[in-house]
Amino acid sequence: MSNMRSLSFDAIIIGGGGSGLRAALELAKSGKKTAVLSKVFPTRSHTVSAQGGITCAIASADPNDDWRWHMYDTVKGGDYIADQDAAEYMCSEGPKAVFELEHMGLPFSRFDNGRIYQRPFGGQSKNFGEGGQAARTCAAADRTGHALLHTLYQNNLKNNTTFLNEWYAVDLVKNANGDVVGCIALDIETGEVVHVKSKATVLATGGAGRIYASTTNALINTGDGIGMALRAGFPMQDMEMWQFHPTGIYGAGTLVTEGCRGEGGYLVNKDGERFMERYAPNAKDLAGRDVVARSMVMEILEGRGCGEKGDHVFLKLDHLGEEVLGKRLPGIVELSKTFAHADPAKEPIPVVPTCHYMMGGIPTNVHGQAIMQDADGNDQIVNGLFACGEAACVSVHGANRLGGNSLLDLVVFGRAAGMFIEGALNEGIDYLDASESDVDAAMKRMSRWNESSGGESVPELKAELQDIMQNAFGVFRQEDNMQEGVKKLADLRERIANASMGDKSNAFNTARVEALELDNLMEVAEATAISALERKESRGAHSRYDYPDRDDVNWLKHSLYFPADKTLGKRDVNFTPKTVDTFEPKVRTY
Amino acid sequence: MSTLQVSVYRYNPETDSAPYMQEFQVDTKGRDLMVLDVLHLTKEQDSSMAYRRSCREGVCGSDGMNMNGKNGLACITPLSEVVKNNKLVLRPLPGLPVIRDLVVDMGIFYKQYERIQPYLQNDTPAPAIERLQSPEERDKLDGLYECILCACCSTACPSFWWNPDKFVGPAGLLQSYRFLADSRDEATQARLADLEDPFSVFRCRGIMNCVSVCPKGLNPTRAIGKIREMLLANAT
Amino acid sequence: MVTNITNFGRSGLSDWLIQRFSAVILALYTLFIVAYLLLNPGLDYATWSGLFAQTWMRIFSLLAFVSIAAHAWIGLWTVTTDYLKPTGIRLAVQSAIILAIFVFLVWGIQILWGA
């Protein structure tokens, strides 16, 4: 592989979604030689699908709003394994990041006084849970992610960011010291494989919802960054924590924003009963997503589901009237008509909890630096490797993310990573170059697929993987099911190692990309499965029939999955925010 | 009868000297699938088939293509809307160079988008909070900012076919007006000055193909009319 | 900004405005002529030439001729830039069109004010 072309950058950002573009913007402004490497044109990234908004205490809907209240909600929402220093950073820096977006041109909806429109979202409170429902989610109608992503892309154009669009990162390149010094990437259009050298490599590759058969995630959400980091031997944090969004459209899986319930919509069972009143008497339909999703599954399991099979519930919006729907939820009206054949102004939307968000990921500090553990269990920075956005686990979401917090996570920590890398580059970064054998090691997987023949096909194996995850690692989990799932995944890993790629041509070969993605799905699925099996409690999105209670004695911890021996360790949760008192774990009710 | 006749434009620059149409029989099991689902089924039959896709819900703009003669997004176009006589013909977006199969080179489309400086320009120091904008001012951006850059409109426009290097095209002009209409943007004069030549805006002949194909229901022709009005008001 | 030197008004806006203005003139002129012909069914040469002997009619006609010339140039220039991609051919056709329009215009003036 010595004839491989190489490119050199100060920083390479893998992923062109919200967090990647925000990091890139920071670096482009600083004049560092930066490139965004994205497998799709940046505005096709999954951030574009975010609907309801970006949660942040900008004190628009309520002039007395306080970021500390937001921080409290975030920590409580995460069932107390969110790192409190990180949640503090996100909630206090948030307003700055949101105002920056507005100054960049993001077309937020507005209140009559000209300030940014904010709507209520699940899990939001005033005065540390004592002051009732807050309205803290800044919105651009129900297309906030689209508006945000386009605004960030536009401002990257303004600042002349270099883009390697439709390039696919295959694997990280590590030098002899184990520092990350770049990656191997595939130019999808030509099929050329390039060695991208970089002093800082940022994984902003988003989530991996495609490990499940039913997900709100885009087809591209295959956990590429997670897969790369795991293959490079780095640990993953809290991978058992997968959020199931209460309102995915039944059958299609497409997302219906929580903003629908924020605007006054609610869920009903087959008897027309607003059942969330029973499960969360105060917050009702605006309880945490994990709580609502579980309640829906309970309704369905207890025979009160809607439809012929009784396997979904209804989201009722018609009482809001066409004007509110048209102004605040126009995208939902469109999606519902297209995918549910239901006009929400006239009839309810059939919905079901659907895999939505990966709370876990690459453990990082607030600067986006990736973290691993040394032999004594102490945190250790991974030189050269950064992560932000859904791929990272800072962790601000803990065991369950609040609605609207992911967009805030993207911009706050994308920005933070960019700023930190700029500083580090100014101080000088000098890692050993990768040797030829280091590069060859990163090329191994690509070469395997290129030479494959006679094995099973990629789409079939992918479907099988998704079914295993859907059946054994869904909203409710239990030991025997999961054990069987882990076993099936181990078997599947063998079969994937022998699978073959049907098309080996170079120009825009999407079969090659899908084969490489399958490896990443496999890595994410196995990390999820083993983490879920080992965390013997119920917390946030991780609910077990066999361990129905939260166990703060043993599990007020992050889980840490080590790929080398496929074991699960633990990592301390941060309980020492800098400027506020610690939020002590309490029983979580809504 | 649930077997659909699907005819797909195929071209691989490495092996084909010329493009050709490949025929597939796809079993839809009687369901009203989206065209994108049908493409997945054809790819299962022939993994060498290339097309772009991402969100599969009509917001990312990846899978713009020509379906039975009309541009649209494969992921939100149900078979019942396009199939005639049980036949579906899929071709790449017209007017752009084909990279492979249904994948086109969108370079010139993006270049026209970049040309209109698609970002807010405001040199007044920003306040500590957001810039204020009344709901009425914000309403002017509705129908403009929602564009997903799928290129269905520009590649349905004969003026763009003939002069893709000079005519901005409906997608770029819609975004141009999105910033001209934004109460927070201060570059109106510079933006207008860049558009008053005979090609950039004025090559629009008002045939409204853009409006009839836009999968988001947007109206670039109206935006182009508004730009003309602004140019006229500015110059008289 | 796309630079052009062969279009009529050097600016897309003025071309566009002239195109619309000249179209209105031509519409009015056409309406007038059609109406005149309908109102004078047994039209003879003397009446017809009498009409064109009046100064206002000559000015109106000249305005229409100039409008046709401008309208035709702008329209045909657009057509040539759409369909004729090789510069040499496009310039040659554009020159021929200009020449023809010029000839027709001078000829028209000569008919109006000539003997």
Side-chain angles (χ1 to χ4, degrees), chain C residues 13-77:
Chain C
L13 180 62
S14 69
D15 277 13
W16 179 78
L17 198 59
I18 290 165
Q19 196 77 333
R20 263 123 203 97
F21 186 74
S22 58
V24 172
I25 303 285
L26 290 172
L28 291 175
Y29 193 77
T30 308
L31 276 178
F32 172 78
I33 294 291
V34 170
Y36 186 84
L37 291 174
L38 289 177
L39 292 174
N40 295 280
L43 185 66
D44 60 5
Y45 179 73
T47 322
W48 181 247
S49 105
L51 171 67
F52 281 87
Q54 299 174 63
T55 307
W56 69 265
M57 185 58 196
R58 287 183 176 175
I59 294 174
F60 191 20
S61 300
L62 181 62
L63 187 61
F65 290 178
V66 171
S67 295
I68 286 191
H71 200 91
W73 173 237
I74 294 168
L76 290 171
W77 178 82

Side-chain angles (χ1 to χ4, degrees), chain B residues 113-225:
Chain B
Y113 172 65
E114 288 166 29
R115 220 204 85 192
I116 59 99
Q117 306 194 321
Y119 38 79
L120 193 82
Q121 298 181 50
N122 185 328
D123 292 332
T124 310
I129 59 165
E130 70 270 38
R131 291 194 166 96
L132 300 183
Q133 186 173 48
S134 72
E136 294 72 32
E137 288 169 333
R138 170 60 182 74
D139 283 350
K140 292 189 180 145
L141 309 184
D142 283 341
L144 305 172
Y145 81 96
E146 300 94 326
C147 172
I148 57 174
L149 300 178
C150 65
C152 285
C153 59
S154 292
T155 60
C157 173
S159 283
F160 190 77
W161 295 341
W162 308 147
N163 291 290
D165 52 340
K166 294 178 181 164
F167 174 50
V168 172
L173 290 170
L174 188 79
Q175 287 319 293
S176 180
Y177 185 61
R178 176 249 173 277
F179 289 100
L180 284 166
D182 195 319
S183 61
R184 302 167 294 171
D185 191 89
E186 291 178 340
T188 304
Q189 287 303 323
R191 289 182 190 282
L192 290 178
D194 190 55
L195 294 174
E196 62 106 40
D197 64 84
F199 280 101
S200 302
V201 175
F202 288 102
R203 196 42 66 103
C204 168
R205 317 310 304 173
I207 62 168
M208 298 178 81
N209 272 8
C210 52
V211 181
S212 85
V213 300
C214 177
K216 305 307 285 181
L218 309 178
N219 189 331
T221 306
R222 186 165 56 212
I224 292 168

Side-chain angles (χ1 to χ4, degrees), chain A residues 172 203-205 225-230 234-237 239 358-365 368-371 382 385-394 560:
Chain A
L172 296 172
L203 294 174
T205 50
I226 309 294
M228 283 190 274
L230 282 169
F234 301 122
M236 283 304 132
Q237 181 168 284
M239 285 303 288
M358 176 179 79
M359 269 77 71
I362 300 159
T364 71
N365 59 21
Q369 292 178 287
I371 289 169
V382 180
L385 185 64
F386 296 79
C388 53
E390 191 170 342
C393 182
V394 186
L560 212 54

Side-chain angles (χ1 to χ4, degrees), chain A residues 373-378:
Chain A
Q373 264 183 353
D374 65 15
D376 305 321
N378 299 314

Side-chain angles (χ1 to χ4, degrees), chain A residues 44 49 99 102-103 105 107-108 110 114-116 146 154 166 215 219 254 327 503 505-507 510, chain B residues 14 43 52 54 56-57 60 62 100 110 113 118 129-131 133 138-139 145 147-149 178 184:
Chain A
R44 327 256 183 244
S49 294
F99 293 142
E102 196 282 333
H103 298 155
F108 282 111
R110 301 286 171 156
R115 294 209 60 191
I116 293 172
H146 169 279
Q154 291 163 353
E166 297 186 327
T215 173
L219 294 157
T254 37
K327 189 157 183 63
D503 176 16
S505 61
N506 289 313
T510 52
Chain B
E14 291 166 80
K43 193 171 172 68
R52 294 187 175 104
S54 172
R56 62 82 176 88
E57 59 188 26
C60 79
S62 296
R100 174 173 176 172
Y110 294 136
Y113 172 65
I129 59 165
E130 70 270 38
R131 291 194 166 96
Q133 186 173 48
R138 170 60 182 74
D139 283 350
Y145 81 96
C147 172
I148 57 174
L149 300 178
R178 176 249 173 277
R184 302 167 294 171

Side-chain angles (χ1 to χ4, degrees), chain A residues 320-341:
Chain A
L320 300 180
E322 262 181 75
E323 201 189 322
V324 171
L325 290 173
K327 189 157 183 63
R328 300 292 181 209
L329 302 164
I332 293 307
V333 174
E334 247 178 74
L335 279 174
S336 176
K337 284 180 182 168
T338 307
F339 289 103
H341 307 293

